[in-house]
Amino acid sequence: MKPVSQSQAAYSSPHLVEPGVAKSTSPHIMTQQQPPWPSPISSSSSNPRGKCWLILVLMAVLPLVADVGALPFLFTHIKPQINWTQPEMESWVIEEQPRSIEPHLEPVLHPNRTHRALSSDSTDAEFLQRLVSIRHNQTASSRMLWYDVAGGDGLVYPPFVDKALKLLNLKQVAFEIENSVMSKVTCTACRAGAGMLQHQIQSGKTDAELIRMITDYCTNLNIQSARVCQGVAQLFGSELIYVLKRVNLSPDELCSFVIGDGCADVYNPYHEWEVIFPPVPKPPRLPDLPIPMEAAPFFKVLHISDTHYDPHYAEGSNADCNEPLCCRLSSGRPATPNAAAGKWGDYRKCDTPKRTVDHMLSHIAETHKDIDYILWTGDLPPHDVWNQTKEENLAIIKDTVKQMVEMFPGVPIFPALGNHESAPVNSFPPPYVNQVDISISWLYDELDIQWRRWLPQSVTHTVRRGAFYSVLVRPGFRIISLNMNYCNNKNWWLLLNSTDPATELQWFIYELQSAEFSNEKVHVIGHIPPGHSDCLKVWSRNFYKIISRYESTVTAQFYGHTHYDEFEMFYDPHDLNHPNGIAYIGPSVSPYYDLNPGYRIYYVDGDHDATTRLVIDHESWIMNLKEANLYGYPIWYKLYTARAAYNMKALRPSDWNNLLNELTNNQELFELYYKYYWKNSPARPTCDAECKKRLICDCRSGRSHDRKHFCAEVESKIDEESSKSWKSWFYKGLTNSAEDRTEEPAPTTDGYGPFDVVIVNVGG
């Protein structure tokens, strides 16, 4: 075999490029100058949980617009020069990192199951050998990463990622501001505030002066309470100012990044980048996946997400406060008895009390004694994002990890990082931001220590680099955990450079290609769903291509973040009639807000010769919070089972796609889905035609900010059905009214009766 040179094996991770400097002409640089994807339709409510704190900071300086000389946003073509030092490039060679190649999960014989996980005379090596012998794409000789399509000796390892493109990347990213503290801030106001803040920075204001100014105006405008304004300015102001001093962006570009497409889809060629795929042909596509065998071995999997444990929750405190998080002693006294926080939680803006978390875990341990492994998809700290410290967030992480270890001894747990684990929230600097005071290593290093209770030593390098990892769970079955905060549009470090932060996606391709060669199936876990509006459009688009390329390898994805019980579909980018992936979005433990606490159980195709590693079925379990507070004791119960509730013969992508079509056409079925989406909350609002379009569109859109591409046909059908329903109701009402008349009314002077006049007017 031809030896691999150091230059061939090494690659450069994303680095900053000074504005105005031309891109490198290195062959490893991928330049994408094509127009962006079709402009998406702005949506206002995919996730009402996120707090658009950057808008708050920008809006705090809005009153200064009286100074006409301080309105650079009116002259966006004039951009001052930014003088700063480009950080040194780093080298991180993907294929030199340790990989998990030994099965991490030991099968357990559960007496309450009707089958054995493995026959007693079957070893892991023998089982793996059988999988290899029956794989569809078996070749006569072994293959290596990667093939050199140019010929020669054939086997070389070209670099996996291109160097970073330009530093400027802010484009669309739809921010969910509905029901958040920033809900009244408009795009125009954002532009004015951004321009004003940029002006103050350029005029030489110190960081302390800027933060004090932000605090004063936030308070004077009653945007929030004084302590929230002060906390936000202190926590977010320093990093925001640091970033804005190092980018050269117009207010239009900045607000397009912060608010999203609703504030104009500003095209920026420096924001366009593409991952590199190895020169390996995609395996032939099957017409449809096989249905998992009945009565075959399976894994029982627990999915917990968005715990948002609040150590300061206080029963009887004010649950109806005017801050982003209530139900604390600091929230004040309740004005009425109805405003008091419940014992087990509250439907208003309150997170999860410790007693509720304890009770849920005890219930799970007692009810589901045969759990094989756990998926834990992040967001452990509460929503007091103006009041958090690194020390407190780390303490919550340590406490919850300790609790999980004690409640589920010996059960493997596969965690993923949420956006609330950092302090401040959503702040996840890429590896090239390595200054001690702003580096994210304080969090990633501790995560490595805590997660190593369940994960093999081989994951240390990638966890400490970017909080992502890959673990071989069983022979032929791998779990990959992604850090979705590198697609988070609230992570303003991406303003500096969003080109594949931490080279995570290129590493992801390497892992999937290795899995494809080894005939492994992969489950992907993360926090923010890739199709959610909180995910950067360019990142989501690249991820979508990866899933399409490796559709025969990735058999399921699992996320949280939205707090709802839902799912996302993936399709062949060139054939929307071919569904090729499904992402399960698990319910939140936190009731924040208007929700019942919940968790999910999956049944995954297990160890046998014909295994698909598909999800066979899933159950959602909830606790009725209203009844728990009323009677003083919570009862957890199974809300529904997917296949039985929706009459699905399997949970393949094609089956979920069929369900989507039925949800569009069958109003009764949609209302059932809507009930489960809200976890049967009594506080759920009614859902009109616009609500229905949004929810079904969210399910179809595994690629963010591309609703026009995925949803036009669905929205048209719903509009048509809504119109028919309205007319049917209207005419039915008129007919009933006519039948109820006891006598014929006298004709009018124009020859029409009153009923006839109505009909004529409607027709006209």
Side-chain angles (χ1 to χ4, degrees):
M1 183 180 71
K2 182 178 179 179
V4 181
S5 68
Q6 183 68 21
S7 62
Q8 289 171 326
Y11 69 86
S12 299
S13 67
H15 63 283
L16 304 182
V17 182
E18 188 172 356
V21 179
K23 296 177 183 175
S24 168
T25 57
S26 164
H28 302 313
I29 294 288
M30 291 295 293
T31 304
Q32 176 66 25
Q33 298 289 354
Q34 298 177 358
W37 294 87
S39 176
I41 299 174
S42 175
S43 171
S44 63
S45 61
S46 289
N47 174 21
R49 315 302 175 194
K51 294 293 178 282
C52 197
W53 294 104
L54 183 53
I55 298 181
L56 188 152
V57 175
L58 298 177
M59 279 304 302
V61 296
L62 179 58
L64 294 182
V65 297
D67 180 5
V68 178
L71 298 177
F73 56 89
L74 298 179
F75 307 96
T76 56
H77 63 286
I78 302 176
K79 296 187 178 183
Q81 291 296 318
I82 306 294
N83 296 317
W84 63 290
T85 303
Q86 175 178 319
E88 295 183 1
M89 292 166 48
E90 59 162 350
S91 293
W92 186 69
V93 184
I94 294 176
E95 65 268 39
E96 290 182 358
Q97 308 309 312
R99 294 190 73 239
S100 171
I101 57 175
E102 294 295 330
H104 190 60
L105 176 66
E106 290 296 329
V108 177
L109 178 61
H110 298 286
N112 61 327
R113 297 188 186 174
T114 58
H115 56 73
R116 299 179 64 87
L118 282 175
S119 59
S120 58
D121 58 347
S122 176
T123 65
D124 287 351
E126 292 170 344
F127 175 64
L128 181 59
Q129 183 58 40
R130 291 204 306 273
L131 290 180
V132 172
S133 66
I134 63 176
R135 67 184 182 183
H136 296 292
N137 59 345
Q138 186 174 6
T139 56
S141 59
S142 60
R143 293 183 286 181
M144 297 292 293
L145 299 179
W146 315 100
Y147 279 95
D148 180 9
V149 295
D153 292 335
L155 300 174
V156 296
Y157 289 76
F160 299 149
V161 293
D162 54 344
K163 296 178 182 178
L165 295 180
K166 297 294 179 176
L167 127 99
L168 318 167
N169 24 262
L170 2 106
K171 192 180 240 250
Q172 80 327 285
V173 225
F175 259 76
E176 303 307 317
I177 59 174
E178 177 184 332
N179 295 323
S180 77
V181 71
M182 297 297 123
S183 59
K184 296 182 179 179
V185 179
T186 65
C187 179
T188 302
C190 174
R191 289 169 176 165
M196 208 40 249
L197 185 56
Q198 287 177 323
H199 170 76
Q200 296 296 331
I201 291 174
Q202 294 299 325
S203 67
K205 297 280 188 183
T206 65
D207 290 5
E209 290 173 325
L210 290 169
I211 291 173
R212 185 167 58 250
M213 177 186 68
I214 292 170
T215 303
D216 291 342
Y217 284 109
C218 172
T219 304
N220 294 337
L221 284 174
N222 292 320
I223 294 177
Q224 263 298 321
S225 65
R227 64 174 184 163
V228 172
C229 288
Q230 182 177 7
V232 167
Q234 291 293 336
L235 272 176
F236 296 82
S238 298
E239 292 189 0
L240 174 62
I241 293 168
Y242 178 93
V243 171
L244 290 183
K245 284 182 176 180
R246 289 160 175 78
V247 298
N248 189 16
L249 307 170
S250 70
D252 284 350
E253 293 170 318
L254 185 59
C255 291
S256 176
F257 186 93
V258 173
I259 295 179
D261 302 314
C263 199
D265 187 11
V266 179
Y267 173 65
N268 188 332
Y270 299 110
H271 187 56
E272 295 299 311
W273 50 271
E274 303 287 346
V275 292
I276 300 175
F277 290 95
V280 179
K282 179 179 177 179
R285 189 176 86 184
L286 297 175
D288 201 355
L289 296 176
I291 296 178
M293 294 173 53
E294 295 291 339
F298 63 85
F299 294 128
K300 186 174 182 179
V301 182
L302 169 66
H303 184 188
I304 296 178
S305 193
D306 297 87
T307 310
H308 292 292
Y309 154 58
D310 187 359
H312 304 294
Y313 185 97
E315 178 186 358
S317 61
N318 185 14
D320 197 17
C321 70
N322 62 349
E323 294 182 337
L325 184 66
C326 307
C327 294
R328 295 175 155 199
L329 291 177
S330 58
S331 303
R333 289 177 171 269
T336 65
N338 188 51
K343 178 179 181 179
W344 297 97
D346 203 282
Y347 286 120
R348 287 158 289 196
K349 292 187 177 181
C350 305
D351 274 321
T352 318
K354 185 178 188 302
R355 63 164 58 98
T356 302
V357 177
D358 293 345
H359 193 277
M360 181 193 71
L361 295 179
S362 296
H363 148 77
I364 293 173
E366 180 64 26
T367 306
H368 308 285
K369 296 181 179 180
D370 54 344
I371 290 174
D372 291 297
Y373 62 88
I374 299 172
L375 305 179
W376 196 18
T377 51
D379 265 14
L380 310 182
H383 285 88
D384 60 336
V385 294
W386 75 94
N387 192 39
Q388 292 178 336
T389 65
K390 296 176 180 178
E391 292 74 21
E392 181 170 306
N393 280 16
L394 288 178
I396 289 176
I397 292 172
K398 294 176 183 178
D399 289 346
T400 51
V401 166
K402 179 183 177 184
Q403 187 178 34
M404 294 291 284
V405 170
E406 293 173 350
M407 295 302 300
F408 305 103
V411 179
I413 299 179
F414 300 98
L417 180 63
N419 61 301
H420 276 265
E421 271 76 303
S422 183
V425 66
N426 300 315
S427 177
F428 295 87
Y432 59 76
V433 181
N434 53 16
Q435 294 92 322
V436 175
D437 56 334
I438 56 178
S439 169
I440 196 65
S441 61
W442 66 271
L443 176 60
Y444 292 175
D445 290 354
E446 186 61 40
L447 288 180
D448 178 48
I449 295 172
Q450 298 300 321
W451 290 359
R452 284 280 300 282
R453 297 170 185 254
W454 307 296
L455 304 179
Q457 184 176 358
S458 60
V459 307
T460 290
H461 297 274
T462 55
V463 170
R464 289 183 178 253
R465 174 178 173 81
F468 49 85
Y469 62 85
S470 172
V471 172
L472 184 67
V473 181
R474 294 292 301 139
F477 178 43
R478 181 174 295 273
I479 288 179
I480 296 179
S481 178
L482 296 178
N483 182 357
M484 302 301 290
N485 291 293
Y486 290 136
C487 87
N488 186 355
N489 54 34
K490 299 172 190 173
N491 180 11
W492 52 74
W493 292 101
L494 302 184
L495 286 165
L496 297 174
N497 192 336
S498 72
T499 304
D500 194 14
T503 56
E504 180 180 33
L505 287 184
Q506 208 64 53
W507 167 87
F508 185 42
I509 291 175
Y510 173 81
E511 286 293 325
L512 291 179
Q513 187 61 65
S514 300
E516 182 182 279
F517 284 167
S518 301
N519 200 36
E520 296 170 357
K521 301 301 182 185
V522 172
H523 284 184
V524 178
I525 67 173
H527 182 66
I528 300 175
H532 193 271
S533 59
D534 280 350
C535 188
L536 280 172
K537 182 177 181 178
V538 64
W539 197 100
S540 178
R541 187 180 67 214
N542 277 282
F543 182 86
Y544 202 84
K545 290 179 180 178
I546 295 172
I547 296 300
S548 179
R549 165 59 184 84
Y550 296 101
E551 64 176 274
S552 62
T553 299
V554 178
T555 58
Q557 303 172 54
F558 305 88
Y559 303 97
H561 186 61
T562 72
H563 291 205
Y564 297 108
D565 189 303
E566 52 184 326
F567 65 95
E568 278 182 0
M569 290 295 304
F570 290 75
Y571 298 88
D572 187 321
H574 307 294
D575 180 9
L576 294 185
N577 292 318
H578 173 62
N580 60 15
I582 175 69
Y584 298 94
I585 303 176
S588 64
V589 175
S590 173
Y592 190 99
Y593 52 92
D594 287 342
L595 295 169
N596 283 318
Y599 66 89
R600 187 176 281 176
I601 295 289
Y602 299 98
Y603 297 94
V604 176
D605 204 1
D607 287 344
H608 58 94
D609 290 350
T611 183
T612 63
R613 303 298 184 186
L614 291 169
V615 173
I616 302 170
D617 207 349
H618 76 67
E619 305 166 350
S620 286
W621 291 65
I622 67 166
M623 178 256 281
N624 188 307
L625 188 56
K626 180 179 180 180
E627 293 181 356
N629 287 332
L630 181 63
Y631 300 116
Y633 188 80
I635 297 177
W636 297 86
Y637 67 96
K638 180 167 60 178
L639 178 63
Y640 76 99
T641 301
R643 288 176 62 182
Y646 300 128
N647 194 26
M648 303 171 71
K649 61 181 180 181
L651 299 188
R652 301 166 300 176
S654 59
D655 300 306
W656 286 105
N657 185 59
N658 291 337
L659 174 63
L660 269 183
N661 294 332
E662 293 183 32
L663 291 176
T664 304
N665 301 320
N666 186 332
Q667 182 61 25
E668 184 178 353
L669 184 64
F670 174 78
E671 289 173 359
L672 182 67
Y673 172 77
Y674 186 67
K675 170 185 174 181
Y676 297 153
Y677 173 87
W678 277 88
K679 294 181 281 183
N680 198 26
S681 169
R684 67 181 182 271
T686 57
C687 189
D688 58 14
E690 289 302 314
C691 163
K692 181 178 180 179
K693 286 192 291 187
R694 176 178 58 80
L695 293 188
I696 295 180
C697 237
D698 287 345
C699 293
R700 280 189 63 88
S701 305
R703 189 170 67 203
S704 68
H705 307 284
D706 216 349
R707 302 179 79 87
K708 281 185 178 179
H709 188 69
F710 292 103
C711 302
E713 183 178 352
V714 170
E715 291 179 339
S716 177
K717 285 183 179 180
I718 295 176
D719 286 337
E720 182 179 353
E721 290 299 320
S722 176
S723 175
K724 288 179 180 178
S725 299
W726 183 87
K727 291 179 181 178
S728 173
W729 169 85
F730 189 80
Y731 281 105
K732 183 178 180 181
L734 293 175
T735 302
N736 292 339
S737 176
E739 291 174 351
D740 290 341
R741 288 179 298 173
T742 58
E743 59 180 349
E744 189 73 10
T748 60
T749 56
D750 57 6
Y752 294 103
F755 181 68
D756 299 321
V757 172
V758 172
I759 295 296
V760 170
N761 287 342
V762 170

